[in-house]
Amino acid sequence: MTHTMIKTDVIYLYNFIKKLKMNTNDVPTILQEFAQPRVINEDMLLNLIIEQGPKGIAGRLFYEDGINLDETKEIRIEFLNILKIDYLWMMPNLTKLKLSNNIIEKIENLDALVNLKELDLSFNRIKIIENLDNLTKLEILLLFNNEINEIENIDNLYHLTIFSIGNNIISSWKHVLYLRKFKNLYSLNMSGNPCTKEEGYLDYVFAFIPQLIYYEYKMVTKEQRQTAREKHYRALHILEEAEMKEKEELNIRQEREKKLAFLTTACVEYLDEDHLFYQMFEYDKEGKDLSMVNEDTQNAYEQYKINFSTLCQELCEVGLKEHDKRLDEINLYNIGVNEGKNISQNHGRMIVNEVLQTKAVTLVNIKQLLKKLVEDIDAATLEDITQKAQQLSQEFNNVVTETWTKLMTIEVDLHEQIQDINEIFRINISDMIESFLTIARGYFSQLRNCEAEYNDTINGLILYYLSGFGEDQKLPRHLLNLCEDKDMLSYNLNNSHERHLQVIDAREDSMVNRLRNWLKEYNEELSRQEIERNNQQVLEIAHFADSQQEEFLYLLQQLNISDPEVILALEST
């Protein structure tokens, strides 16, 4: 019996046993060994790659070249009674993985397969869809004939196009709206699930997953889609309006996040609106309550908010302008440095080309001289040829040395120029930041003054309000703990004042520290990059000089020089 026939028979018996849902005890003794659960391991993967690889001469070459698990693109691990998925992290470049017809109960250990595009887990014992978050490139997911009761945990499969999950135990319809968000999904198979047996399910799918082109591998017709939409018109209309609103809100959030990110780079985040104002009152209940004592205090509070927020917005605008100035300075710096690098590179390229031309000419001249060695020549002629060849070789070595000197001079000059530019840039950008911080301190000082004026205003308004109460009049109960007397009012106002100043001071310190830290880190990074660039260039120049001399000697050896005197003379140079 051939290997293919044995394999076919085993597969048939395995499927027969699975179909009857037999327990291990029911399996005939001859199949006990086959029925034992297995775990994927490295040896199994290697054997499968060899088995599934090319055959004949191509296969032999494939085997002789060595098997690299990390370069494998596709593998089939089917009909092997696999219980546990493992060791696939050794194959990070897999794009196609077939694990069907096993006894797998849990989806796991697939996180490393970030390049996977097709995954087949059909005919297993999986109950929960899980651990697929990293497979963001997955396009085809096959889970046919498992024990799954809910479609979930595939939110990161943005590129999902084909999804087969028939012959499971899904009864709810909620997966339809869940799958609606997968805009690339064009093929779905739900056949054999309890939910598909309910009346109206198919119309529900066609109506709420409009991107579907195939259902159960049959094309969805325009008539089917139109009929489904008409049956669910009202619900669709409400859903589409909600999705449109959600999309608009998402766009607004994204715009806000984008704006916040931009303001943060300029260290003026939340200064464009009244965020800092409300932050002062966030943990100041007494201060907020004092602002609501009567209409006069409420008007003072509103005017305070306007004045305070106006100062914040002015500071934000100044900060953005200063940020633009810094970006312009950085742009000018980059232009200057890149121009210097380009000039040096072009100059160096010309010198290198001259060396290569000189080498070619020198080799031609040496070759012409050596042609004369073929003939019978006297000692005087041999000595003359040897001296000329040696002279040409020495001249080329001198050219290489001069070239190294020229290239190093260019690099030293460029390095010094960039260091000078870095220092000028450091001074300019430091002056810009310190100038802005001086302006910013002025604004924060105005904010503190604004807060102090408001505090005094509230104090006066509340004292005036309290003076209107006679001896026989009682203060409203909600004001007793706020301003029953002058001492209590003063205590609460001072606490409120201190809290507000802490918020203002903290925001000022944050701006100052962040800008100065940015300046320090940015200049250190420029210095580090230049040191690395300079070291790399020095190494490249040295390598070029050495390689030219080595290549020249190698080419001389290829000229088949046989005279020992000539060889010795050339090598001595």
Side-chain angles (χ1 to χ4, degrees):
M1 185 179 290
T2 65
H3 173 74
T4 304
M5 291 175 65
I6 293 173
K7 183 178 178 183
T8 303
D9 290 342
V10 170
I11 292 171
Y12 171 80
L13 288 170
Y14 171 75
N15 284 332
F16 178 76
I17 293 168
K18 185 170 183 180
K19 184 177 181 182
L20 294 178
K21 298 183 178 179
M22 297 175 65
N23 295 322
T24 304
N25 293 334
D26 299 321
V27 181
T29 305
I30 195 172
L31 297 177
Q32 285 290 332
E33 183 178 352
F34 174 80
Q36 291 301 314
R38 304 173 68 186
V39 177
I40 297 173
N41 56 46
E42 185 175 359
D43 290 339
M44 178 188 293
L45 295 177
L46 290 170
N47 290 331
L48 287 172
I49 291 174
I50 294 171
E51 179 184 341
Q52 296 168 20
K55 309 302 179 186
I57 297 177
R60 181 172 58 80
L61 295 174
F62 168 77
Y63 184 77
E64 290 176 354
D65 287 342
I67 300 170
N68 294 320
L69 289 174
D70 59 351
E71 294 180 3
T72 304
K73 300 291 186 182
E74 299 181 10
I75 192 168
R76 300 188 308 276
I77 312 174
E78 302 174 302
F79 301 102
L80 294 177
N81 225 39
I82 299 299
L83 174 64
K84 180 179 175 61
I85 303 172
D86 206 348
Y87 276 88
L88 293 176
W89 52 265
M90 303 180 72
M91 309 171 78
N93 288 308
L94 273 182
T95 60
K96 188 174 182 180
L97 172 61
K98 287 185 173 290
L99 288 164
S100 63
N101 293 282
N102 288 293
I103 54 172
I104 297 169
E105 297 178 351
K106 182 179 178 63
I107 303 174
E108 59 185 340
N109 298 322
L110 298 176
D111 291 347
L113 308 186
V114 294
N115 295 301
L116 202 63
K117 292 187 176 182
E118 181 176 342
L119 174 60
D120 186 357
L121 285 162
S122 301
F123 295 97
N124 279 288
R125 300 176 183 175
I126 298 167
K127 292 180 174 62
I128 300 174
I129 303 175
E130 58 186 338
N131 300 319
L132 298 175
D133 292 343
N134 282 15
L135 310 187
T136 56
K137 295 182 180 180
L138 198 66
E139 298 174 3
I140 301 173
L141 177 59
L142 308 179
L143 291 165
F144 191 84
N145 208 91
N146 278 280
E147 301 170 17
I148 298 167
N149 61 13
E150 185 175 354
I151 298 176
E152 59 185 344
N153 301 324
I154 60 171
D155 301 75
N156 289 357
L157 308 188
Y158 313 111
H159 301 287
L160 188 64
T161 58
I162 299 174
F163 187 31
S164 175
I165 192 167
N167 275 22
N168 279 274
I169 53 175
I170 300 169
S171 56
S172 171
W173 288 19
K174 65 181 181 179
H175 62 273
V176 176
L177 294 182
Y178 180 72
L179 293 175
R180 178 181 173 85
K181 66 183 178 181
F182 293 88
K183 301 305 180 183
N184 295 314
L185 181 64
Y186 70 80
S187 179
L188 174 66
N189 181 21
M190 292 289 301
S191 64
N193 283 288
C195 61
T196 63
K197 296 178 174 60
E198 298 180 29
E199 185 178 353
Y201 173 78
L202 204 56
D203 286 330
Y204 193 69
V205 170
F206 294 162
F208 288 94
I209 313 181
Q211 65 270 31
L212 277 187
I213 298 176
Y214 300 96
Y215 180 77
E216 294 185 14
Y217 308 106
K218 296 178 182 178
M219 182 173 287
V220 181
T221 66
K222 291 182 180 179
E223 291 76 13
Q224 288 175 315
R225 205 183 306 276
Q226 183 61 32
T227 301
R229 285 190 64 86
E230 289 174 358
K231 287 183 179 180
H232 296 277
Y233 174 77
R234 185 173 181 80
L236 268 174
H237 181 68
I238 295 172
L239 178 61
E240 288 170 351
E241 281 190 342
E243 288 176 340
M244 183 63 70
K245 184 178 180 180
E246 184 179 348
K247 185 177 180 181
E248 290 174 355
E249 291 174 351
L250 177 61
N251 290 337
I252 292 173
R253 286 198 302 271
Q254 289 176 339
E255 285 298 320
R256 285 179 178 172
E257 290 172 359
K258 183 178 178 182
K259 181 180 180 181
L260 176 60
F262 173 68
L263 293 174
T264 302
T265 60
C267 295
V268 292
E269 70 279 5
Y270 298 122
L271 294 177
D272 58 322
E273 296 177 353
D274 46 20
H275 175 84
L276 188 61
F277 177 82
Y278 286 117
Q279 188 179 354
M280 291 189 299
F281 288 93
E282 186 175 1
Y283 300 105
D284 182 19
K285 183 180 183 301
E286 291 79 8
K288 184 64 176 176
D289 291 341
L290 286 170
S291 70
M292 297 292 118
V293 167
N294 59 19
E295 185 177 351
D296 290 337
T297 59
Q298 291 175 23
N299 290 336
Y301 173 84
E302 291 300 324
Q303 188 59 50
Y304 173 41
K305 182 173 74 171
I306 292 172
N307 296 339
F308 192 93
S309 300
T310 299
L311 287 172
C312 288
Q313 290 166 8
E314 289 179 3
L315 175 56
C316 181
E317 291 175 4
V318 173
L320 290 176
K321 289 179 181 178
E322 291 297 316
H323 179 64
D324 288 340
K325 290 181 181 178
R326 293 195 294 273
L327 291 180
D328 290 340
E329 184 67 20
I330 291 172
N331 188 45
L332 287 174
Y333 164 84
N334 288 331
I335 290 174
V337 170
N338 289 334
E339 284 184 355
K341 289 179 181 178
N342 289 335
I343 291 172
S344 297
Q345 287 174 357
N346 291 334
H347 191 188
R349 193 174 292 113
M350 292 174 57
I351 293 173
V352 168
N353 288 336
E354 290 176 0
V355 173
L356 297 178
Q357 292 174 0
T358 301
K359 180 174 68 174
V361 172
T362 302
L363 286 171
V364 169
N365 291 335
I366 290 177
K367 191 174 182 179
Q368 292 295 329
L369 284 173
L370 297 178
K371 283 183 179 179
K372 299 178 180 178
L373 294 177
V374 178
E375 305 170 359
D376 293 333
I377 53 176
D378 53 30
T381 304
L382 176 60
E383 182 179 356
D384 181 57
I385 292 174
T386 302
Q387 288 177 353
K388 288 181 179 180
Q390 185 177 9
Q391 182 181 355
L392 288 171
S393 180
Q394 183 61 54
E395 287 174 356
F396 178 73
N397 282 335
N398 292 340
V399 168
V400 171
T401 302
E402 291 173 5
T403 299
W404 178 88
T405 302
K406 291 178 181 178
L407 293 176
M408 285 299 298
T409 300
I410 293 172
E411 175 53 31
V412 169
D413 290 344
L414 176 61
H415 180 58
E416 291 177 351
Q417 289 172 11
I418 292 179
Q419 285 184 318
D420 291 343
I421 292 175
N422 283 353
E423 180 61 20
I424 293 171
F425 172 79
R426 186 191 65 78
I427 293 172
N428 290 345
I429 206 77
S430 298
D431 289 345
M432 286 182 178
I433 286 179
E434 289 304 320
S435 174
F436 168 61
L437 289 180
T438 299
I439 297 172
R441 288 192 189 94
Y443 273 100
F444 281 109
S445 179
Q446 291 183 64
L447 291 174
R448 282 186 280 268
N449 291 338
C450 186
E451 198 285 331
E453 290 173 5
Y454 166 73
N455 194 272
D456 291 341
T457 300
I458 287 292
N459 184 47
L461 289 173
I462 293 178
L463 287 175
Y464 179 76
Y465 171 70
L466 294 177
S467 67
F469 287 87
E471 293 182 0
D472 58 341
Q473 291 177 299
K474 291 185 177 181
L475 195 66
R477 182 180 296 275
H478 70 280
L479 297 179
L480 289 177
N481 293 328
L482 285 173
C483 50
E484 184 177 7
D485 53 42
K486 289 184 179 181
D487 290 340
M488 185 173 292
L489 174 63
S490 177
Y491 175 79
N492 286 325
L493 284 175
N494 283 334
N495 281 345
S496 177
H497 178 62
E498 289 299 323
R499 287 194 184 98
H500 294 186
L501 289 182
Q502 288 174 3
V503 172
I504 296 171
D505 292 346
R507 185 64 183 85
E508 180 180 7
D509 291 342
S510 172
M511 178 180 287
V512 171
N513 292 333
R514 283 168 56 195
L515 279 170
R516 285 180 172 168
N517 288 338
W518 173 85
L519 175 65
K520 180 175 179 291
E521 292 170 2
Y522 195 86
N523 283 313
E524 286 177 351
E525 179 64 14
L526 291 180
S527 177
R528 184 191 65 79
Q529 289 178 357
E530 172 52 24
I531 290 173
E532 288 184 359
R533 188 207 63 79
N534 175 248
N535 290 339
Q536 183 63 30
Q537 285 298 110
V538 169
L539 289 174
E540 287 184 6
I541 292 170
H543 175 72
F544 173 76
D546 291 341
S547 64
Q548 290 305 306
Q549 290 175 328
E550 291 173 1
E551 185 180 351
F552 184 76
L553 287 175
Y554 174 77
L555 292 173
L556 286 177
Q557 293 172 2
Q558 305 308 306
L559 293 176
N560 294 323
I561 304 173
S562 58
D563 193 292
E565 293 185 27
V566 177
I567 294 174
L568 185 62
L570 291 175
E571 288 181 346
S572 66
T573 60

